[in-house]
């Protein structure tokens, strides 16, 4: 007996004002499998799954579910077919509670009718969260008060709350760290056992080998191939995506750090982190590793003035400074690429040029007048370095794929060239080839004298790029490793509390 659901998308094409996002793509997958979709930034992955979820209309092509043709011309139709998605960018309503977001459209009413039964609603939401192992969230909290990874959990809960037949996950892991990722994989395995088809988009190839059964590769809007994970390996997949082999190489490191650029002592914020003391030298990349919730992002946000410190002192080039707002921090020479790109970094209706130059207009102004030629050449230089696509600086940001939008935010901060640069997950959502370009740029900035504070949840990235690594756990520094000492096992053991780090911290 083979009554399992299967999905076929045939000859799907889609253009956005002349940009061919998908060209005659054939795709098929079946219930009970985890099917990964991979490809470079702008390859068409999100477009393909958005066509399936009714968020985008295809120009051509047809979709069949278990042999029956379905016209999915709105999200509502997709929902009725029990197709749900966790999108690359959050779709939560931030002023509503966790419960309201999870049950939106399905809130229970009291037996007398008309009124929403809040007690029941909270219980249902709590049950959904518990079923997928995310029980430490307060269902009554407003979504705006949650961290990025907590928001991601709410997204996932919302999608699975309706027992989907097809569940699309567009880079669900980008904001999760190892522990949450393990939970996510447990949820996915659970869904798989229930014969759900899970479509999983990720730039992290390791994850594909951990969770997927088959993988489909897209390149420049075209179908390259579908292959069983057991019949391929990482280099082969990279070759399918990029068209040639690339090696995972990190730029060389320099080793002399004599001039202190930034020193902080006893930094603390009530109930979030405490006793943070470290310094970074000119030219040094200091990595911070820790699980989500370890306080790294919060600490960095306080140094940048985006949140308030409750104690401690920040010293730049030997002088204590006050960074009580991001504007002040920038004036003092500190810039920060934040983790939550959607909210903190982007203006979707403005062009790539405007977004990239937004923070650096001073540099492009001569005698009070914006030098457009200079602006253009600086922006085009960034577009080339970061392989931003499309290359036309006039394009509005909303026309860019998710990964390309992230590169624009990164470009904006790199353009400022402040002596101190805080980067929170700088390669999140970025494809393999561009990642190496970004590593080279970060190392280049350090080599030319910048001090870089790097927060990353990707172990190979922190280890490969940093000169020194501090590990945080539950708001405290729990270990420090030089680049020679650091290994994935050691950092993970330290971050999870299995062992303590070197140096008696
Ligand atoms: N709303 C839009 N308007 C115009 N062009 C768009 C729009 N959305 C996507 N595109 C273009 O379609 C192409 C495919 O984009 P898509 O978002 O599907 O890529 P992706 O594979 O998901 O990339 P990423 O890894 O960066 O998320 C890109 O060239 C992108 O610039
Ligand atoms: Mg995408």
């Amino acid at each position: 007996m083979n009554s399992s659901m299967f999905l076929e998308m045939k000859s799907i094409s889609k253009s956005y004002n002349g940009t061919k996002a998908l060209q005659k793509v054939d795709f098929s997958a079946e219930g009970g499998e985890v099917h990964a979709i991979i490809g470079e930034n702008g390859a068409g992955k999100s477009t393909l799954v958005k066509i399936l979820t009714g968020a985008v209309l295809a120009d051509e092509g047809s979709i069949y579910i278990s042999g029956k043709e379905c016209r999915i011309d709105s999200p509502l139709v997709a929902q009725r077919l029990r197709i749900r998605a966790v999108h690359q960018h959050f779709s939560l309503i931030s002023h509503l509670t966790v419960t309201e977001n999870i049950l939106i459209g399905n809130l229970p009413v009291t037996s007398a009718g008309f009124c929403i039964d809040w007690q029941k609603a909270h219980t249902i939401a709590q049950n959904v969260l518990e079923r997928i192992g995310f029980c430490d969230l307060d269902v009554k909290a407003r979504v705006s008060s949650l961290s990025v990874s907590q928001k991601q959990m709410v997204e996932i809960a919302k999608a699975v709350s309706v027992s989907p037949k097809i569940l699309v996950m567009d880079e669900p892991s980008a904001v999760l760290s190892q522990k949450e990722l393990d939970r996510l994989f447990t949820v996915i395995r659970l869904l798989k056992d229930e014969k759900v088809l899970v479509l999983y988009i990720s730039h992290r190839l390791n994850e594909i080998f951990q969770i997927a059964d088959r993988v489909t590769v897209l390149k420049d809007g075209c179908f390259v191939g579908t292959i069983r994970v057991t019949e391929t390996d990482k280099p082969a997949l990279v070759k399918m995506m990029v068209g040639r082999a690339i090696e995972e190489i990190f730029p060389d490191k320099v080793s002399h750090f004599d001039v202190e650029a930034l020193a902080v002592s006893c930094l603390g914020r009530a109930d979030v982190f405490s006793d943070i003391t470290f310094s970074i030298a000119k030219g040094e990349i200091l990595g911070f590793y820790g699980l989500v919730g370890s306080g790294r992002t919060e600490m960095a946000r306080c140094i940048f003035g985006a949140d308030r410190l409750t104690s401690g002192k920040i010293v730049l080039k030997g002088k204590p400074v006050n960074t009580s707002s991001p504007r002040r921090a920038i004036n003092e020479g500190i810039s920060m690429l934040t983790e939550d790109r959607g909210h903190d970094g982007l203006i979707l209706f403005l062009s790539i040029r405007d977004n990239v130059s937004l923070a650096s207009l001073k540099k492009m102004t001569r005698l009070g007048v914006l030098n457009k030629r200079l602006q253009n050449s600086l922006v085009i230089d960034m577009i080339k370095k970061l392989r931003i696509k499309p290359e036309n600086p006039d394009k509005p940001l909303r026309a860019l794929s998710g990964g390309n939008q992230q590169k624009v935010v990164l470009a904006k901060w790199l353009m400022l060239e402040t002596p101190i640069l805080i980067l929170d997950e700088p390669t999140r959502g970025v494809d393999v080839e561009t990642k190496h370009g970004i590593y080279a740029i970060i190392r280049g900035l350090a080599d030319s004298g910048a001090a870089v504070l790097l927060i990353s949840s990707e172990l190979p990235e922190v280890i490969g790029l940093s000169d020194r690594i501090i590990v945080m756990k539950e708001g405290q520094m729990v270990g420090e490793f030089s680049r020679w000492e650091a290994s994935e096992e050691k950092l993970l053991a330290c971050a999870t509390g299995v062992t303590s780090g070197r140096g008696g911290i």
Side-chain angles (χ1 to χ4, degrees), residues 208-219:
I208 311 282
F209 286 95
Q210 278 175 47
I211 196 74
D213 300 298
R214 286 194 296 169
V215 50
T216 289
V217 182
L218 296 180
K219 180 170 169 52

Side-chain angles (χ1 to χ4, degrees), residues 14 22 27-28 59 111 157 193 243 349 356 358 417 439 467 478:
K14 170 75 192 173
L22 292 173
F27 175 79
S28 62
D59 301 334
S111 48
D193 290 344
F349 60 85
V356 172
L358 216 55
E417 291 187 312
Y439 297 152
D467 298 299
V478 289

Side-chain angles (χ1 to χ4, degrees), residues 9-276:
M9 298 177 78
K10 283 193 183 154
S11 199
I12 305 278
S13 298
K14 170 75 192 173
S15 300
Y16 296 100
N17 313 316
T19 310
K20 288 185 174 161
L22 292 173
Q23 300 181 56
K24 297 205 177 302
V25 170
D26 290 321
F27 175 79
S28 62
E30 36 190 90
E33 89 168 317
V34 179
H35 197 119
I37 303 173
I38 63 171
E40 292 187 281
N41 294 132
K45 305 175 298 291
S46 294
T47 305
L48 185 70
V49 296
K50 279 182 188 161
I51 288 171
L52 182 64
T53 59
V56 164
L57 277 186
D59 301 334
E60 262 178 57
S62 29
I63 300 175
Y64 299 84
I65 294 176
S66 300
K68 192 166 158 260
E69 180 160 12
C70 302
R71 272 189 57 83
I72 305 178
D73 47 16
S74 78
L76 209 63
V77 175
Q79 273 181 31
R80 284 203 200 108
L81 292 165
R82 304 215 333 254
I83 302 172
R84 295 297 288 244
V86 175
H87 283 297
Q88 193 168 9
H89 297 292
F90 295 135
S91 62
L92 301 177
I93 306 172
S94 49
H95 64 273
L96 297 185
T97 62
V98 170
T99 297
E100 286 167 303
N101 271 285
I102 293 178
L103 299 181
I104 207 153
N106 293 314
L107 283 164
V109 288
T110 53
S111 48
F114 309 122
C115 273
I116 287 171
D117 186 342
W118 285 111
Q119 202 161 4
K120 195 167 166 198
H122 290 312
T123 313
I124 298 175
Q126 187 74 46
N127 286 344
V128 173
L129 285 166
E130 268 165 28
R131 189 163 72 93
I132 60 177
F134 297 159
C135 16
D136 37 5
L137 269 178
D138 174 10
V139 289
K140 291 179 185 163
R142 278 183 205 290
V143 161
S144 55
S145 70
L146 303 182
S147 71
V148 184
S149 68
Q150 289 173 323
K151 285 182 192 162
Q152 184 65 290
M153 294 176 194
V154 178
E155 286 278 357
I156 296 167
K158 184 177 149 190
V160 303
S161 70
V162 291
S163 317
K165 259 200 316 206
I166 300 178
L167 179 64
V168 171
M169 298 191 149
D170 197 348
E171 291 193 46
S173 60
V175 297
L176 304 179
S177 72
Q178 199 56 48
K179 209 164 109 203
E180 279 88 0
L181 192 64
D182 291 343
R183 286 203 218 159
L184 176 68
F185 284 176
T186 312
V187 176
I188 292 180
R189 291 196 185 101
L190 215 88
L191 293 167
K192 204 176 124 134
D193 290 344
E194 292 168 11
K195 293 283 173 245
V196 176
L197 163 61
V198 180
L199 300 181
Y200 190 88
I201 299 179
S202 174
H203 286 287
R204 300 185 184 167
L205 295 180
N206 291 344
E207 290 174 6
I208 311 282
F209 286 95
Q210 278 175 47
I211 196 74
D213 300 298
R214 286 194 296 169
V215 50
T216 289
V217 182
L218 296 180
K219 180 170 169 52
D220 301 326
C222 297
F223 172 85
V224 179
T226 295
I227 190 162
R228 293 212 149 271
V229 164
T230 47
E231 286 161 12
T232 186
D233 58 14
K234 235 168 130 178
L237 287 182
V238 169
K239 209 164 164 192
M240 282 171 89
M241 280 195 290
V242 181
R244 61 186 172 81
I246 53 173
E247 284 175 61
E248 227 176 309
I249 299 177
F250 289 93
D252 279 346
K253 296 166 186 177
V254 284
S255 48
H256 294 292
F257 307 114
D258 329 313
V259 186
E260 182 183 284
L262 166 82
V264 304
S265 57
C266 302
L267 292 190
R269 181 172 157 85
D271 299 328
V272 187
F273 59 87
S274 59
D275 262 337
I276 305 290

